[in-house]
Every structure is written in C-alpha cells, then in structure tokens.
Amino acid sequence: MSITLLTSASLLQSPLFAQSAAKYINGKIERLHPGLDAIIDTNGKIEVIADGFKWVEGPVWVESQQMLLVSDVPNNKIYKWTAQRGKELYLEPSGYTGNKPRGGEMGSNGLTLTAEGKLVVCQHGDRRVAVMDVPVNSPKPVFTSLATNYKGKKFDSPNDVVIKSNGDTYFTDPPYGLEKNVKDSSKQAPYQGVYKIAKNGSVTLLVDTITRPNGIAFFPDEKRLLIANSDAKKPYWYVYDVDRNGNLANGRIFFNAARYTKNDFRMPDGLKIDKNGNVFSSGPGGFWIFNKHGEVLGRFINDAITSNCAFSSDEKTLFITANDKILKIDLK
C-alpha cells in the first residue's frame, strides 16, 4: 500500500488549506500480517508537523499540557510541539549543564514522566538520569540527579528510560553521548549496561551483555521488558522476563533484523508498546510494528532515519522522531 508524507510548517486544522500548502513524499506500508488492519489505515497520511532539528529523539506526550516534548540531542535543547503553536523551544540546556565546551551528542535523549507528572530526562552530557525540579508548564534547567553512577563508575550516556508502575526507573546506557563513543578515555565501565533505579535511589545493574542497548519499554502487564540493540552485528530486539523483585531473567531474541540490515545502516532504536502489547519501533528500512509475540505486522518503508516514537494519551496518534523532523500518524 502507498502512503503519503505530508509536510507543513505547522499543524493546520483546515483540510483545504493543508492541501494547498502541502508537499508530498511517497512511501509505502508493507502489510505483512492481517493484524495490521486493526492498527492503522494503510492508505493514511503521515504528516511532518515540525522540522529544522539537528537530530531529534526521546519524544513524550504530556497530556496535561497537550504538548509533545522532544530532545534535539546535539543542540542540547528540548523542544515542545502543540497543535496551536507548532514548534517552540522548551528547555536549554537539556543534557549538558557544564561550562567546558564540548561536542558530540551532549543533550538530553529519552524523556518520560513520573506518576506525579515530573519530567525525567536522560542526560548524555551530564551522564546521568535526572528529574526537572520545576513543573512541566514552567520549565527551567533545574535538575536533581536520580542516578549518576553504578558502584562508583560513571554511566556513559543514559539513552532511553521507562518507569514501572511501582516507581522503579529502568534505563539503557550506550556510549553514544561520549565524544569518542566507546573509545572515549572518560568511559569507566567496560560494558554497556541496562539499569534499574529503585524508589529509594539504589541502582542495580540488570544486564551487561547487550552491546548497544537503546530503546526500552514494558509490555502492559509489566512481566516482560523489551530492549532494542543498535548494533549492526547484533540487530536484535531482546525480551526479558521481569521477576517479582523487578530484575530481569531469561533473556532471548524477540526479533532478529539481520536480514534487513545488509543494505540498510539503520538499526533497532527507540520504541513504545501500546495497551494491546503491539510494539512500535524504529529499525532497518524505516519503522516497524510487531504484535506481542514478535510477529511483524507491518513496516513503514521510507528514507527517514527514524529514532523513536510516542503515543498520545488515547493511543489514537503516533508521533515519530525522524532525523530532523517530527512525524504524526493517525491510528485506529
């Protein structure tokens, strides 16, 4: 099936005006399983609602403010998008608060909200998971660390984050925020980790065998955790059982994308899981949708380098961060 990517400077509610202002890019939805029909209209449109970023990541929908927040990682900024005003600067700095000039992916990456509505930020440059210590409707770069290290060794660059219903925080820690990546002299741990921060602040190393842990999300019953591995040699989505203490066991491959990466440099990346257990994830060839059993329902095939995604609160809208753009797709 064909889809159309609709590009506009801002979200305009008038269909007539949107048509006259639009630019279209042809793409394709691969329907690989009948289960896709209940999720998305394969003749639907994908709209570019904002652009002009350097590398956009970590989206989260904030229902109380009717806004989407995204990280522009290299520019050390968080932007917000609303239907009324489009793209606006939300917070600067977002991930590196130091004074010494530096390059690389220093800004914030993954974003999420606590049960109380506070913004939790994976900060590449500051090498920590932190919470913004002001209300989300009056942002300021005032942060409190949730965790900065494990047994005295600094994290590399916390990347993506999810909070369990009991308040425990789970996050991935690849090397992408270090200026020289895995070869950076400031790297302290000899592995890439997946960690848990308990409500009391204690940090547990859950996994140290995933080479480039990235996107992370719980299935609805929180008995399984999915982790994307952004490694060309092991382009896998891993799934783990979650025990009664919140630790991980029985790690196995949820889906192996190796045959799709031979002519495509894009790897498994950010992901979200809906209330029915369907997985939405960046990956080789564009953007993937799986059911809870790891069967591929479909793919969005296009040239966009997608990085992550987020749902609206009713799960009728999917937002995708893609290189320098934010995409919006209507779901069923």
Side-chain angles (χ1 to χ4, degrees), residues 150 155-156 169-174 187 189-197 203-216 225-229 234 237-243 246-252:
Y150 175 67
F155 302 131
D156 285 356
T169 300
Y170 291 65
F171 69 96
T172 56
D173 188 36
K187 180 175 171 57
Y191 54 81
Q192 306 308 141
V194 179
Y195 298 91
K196 178 184 71 172
I197 310 169
V203 179
T204 302
L205 174 62
L206 300 173
V207 181
D208 63 2
T209 56
I210 299 178
T211 50
R212 293 293 183 273
N214 203 313
I216 185 170
L225 183 70
L226 191 67
I227 303 170
N229 190 37
K234 296 181 178 180
W237 287 266
Y238 292 100
V239 63
Y240 290 82
D241 296 330
V242 183
D243 69 20
N247 297 319
L248 305 184
N250 192 28
R252 58 217 183 262

Side-chain angles (χ1 to χ4, degrees), residues 40-77:
I40 190 169
D41 180 357
T42 54
N43 292 311
K45 294 180 179 180
I46 301 177
E47 184 177 3
V48 177
I49 57 173
D51 58 16
F53 307 98
K54 191 167 185 179
W55 173 250
V56 65
E57 253 279 15
V60 63
W61 177 255
V62 184
E63 177 66 15
S64 65
Q65 306 300 311
Q66 291 293 293
M67 68 179 175
L68 182 76
L69 298 180
V70 298
S71 296
D72 192 350
V73 186
N75 284 329
N76 201 17
K77 298 175 182 179

Side-chain angles (χ1 to χ4, degrees), residues 259-301:
R259 70 188 181 97
Y260 296 93
T261 62
K262 293 179 180 178
N263 298 309
D264 196 313
F265 65 90
R266 291 170 286 186
M267 296 296 121
D269 201 332
L271 58 92
K272 295 294 186 297
I273 300 176
D274 71 13
K275 62 186 178 183
N276 296 315
N278 297 308
V279 177
F280 295 71
S281 181
S282 302
F287 193 85
W288 296 67
I289 302 177
F290 307 93
N291 65 19
K292 61 185 178 182
H293 305 295
E295 298 172 300
V296 182
L297 303 182
R299 294 194 301 162
F300 305 156
I301 306 299

Side-chain angles (χ1 to χ4, degrees), residues 104-174:
E105 298 182 7
M106 62 181 162
S108 60
N109 198 310
L111 308 172
T112 194
L113 299 172
T114 67
E116 298 76 28
K118 287 193 170 185
L119 182 66
V120 174
V121 184
C122 286
Q123 296 185 307
H124 276 191
D126 287 349
R127 299 173 70 168
R128 64 178 176 173
V129 180
V131 62
M132 187 176 72
D133 256 346
V134 294
V136 292
N137 62 352
S138 56
K140 295 178 182 178
V142 180
F143 304 101
T144 295
S145 297
L146 296 180
T148 61
N149 69 88
Y150 175 67
K151 292 186 175 181
K153 294 186 183 297
K154 282 186 179 182
F155 302 131
D156 285 356
S157 52
N159 185 279
D160 205 1
V161 60
V162 63
I163 300 177
K164 200 166 180 274
S165 60
N166 69 351
D168 290 347
T169 300
Y170 291 65
F171 69 96
T172 56
D173 188 36

Side-chain angles (χ1 to χ4, degrees), residues 316-332:
K316 291 185 178 180
T317 303
L318 178 70
F319 300 97
I320 298 176
T321 49
N323 196 10
D324 61 342
K325 299 176 178 64
I326 304 173
L327 312 178
K328 183 178 82 71
I329 309 166
D330 292 331
L331 302 177
K332 289 187 177 180

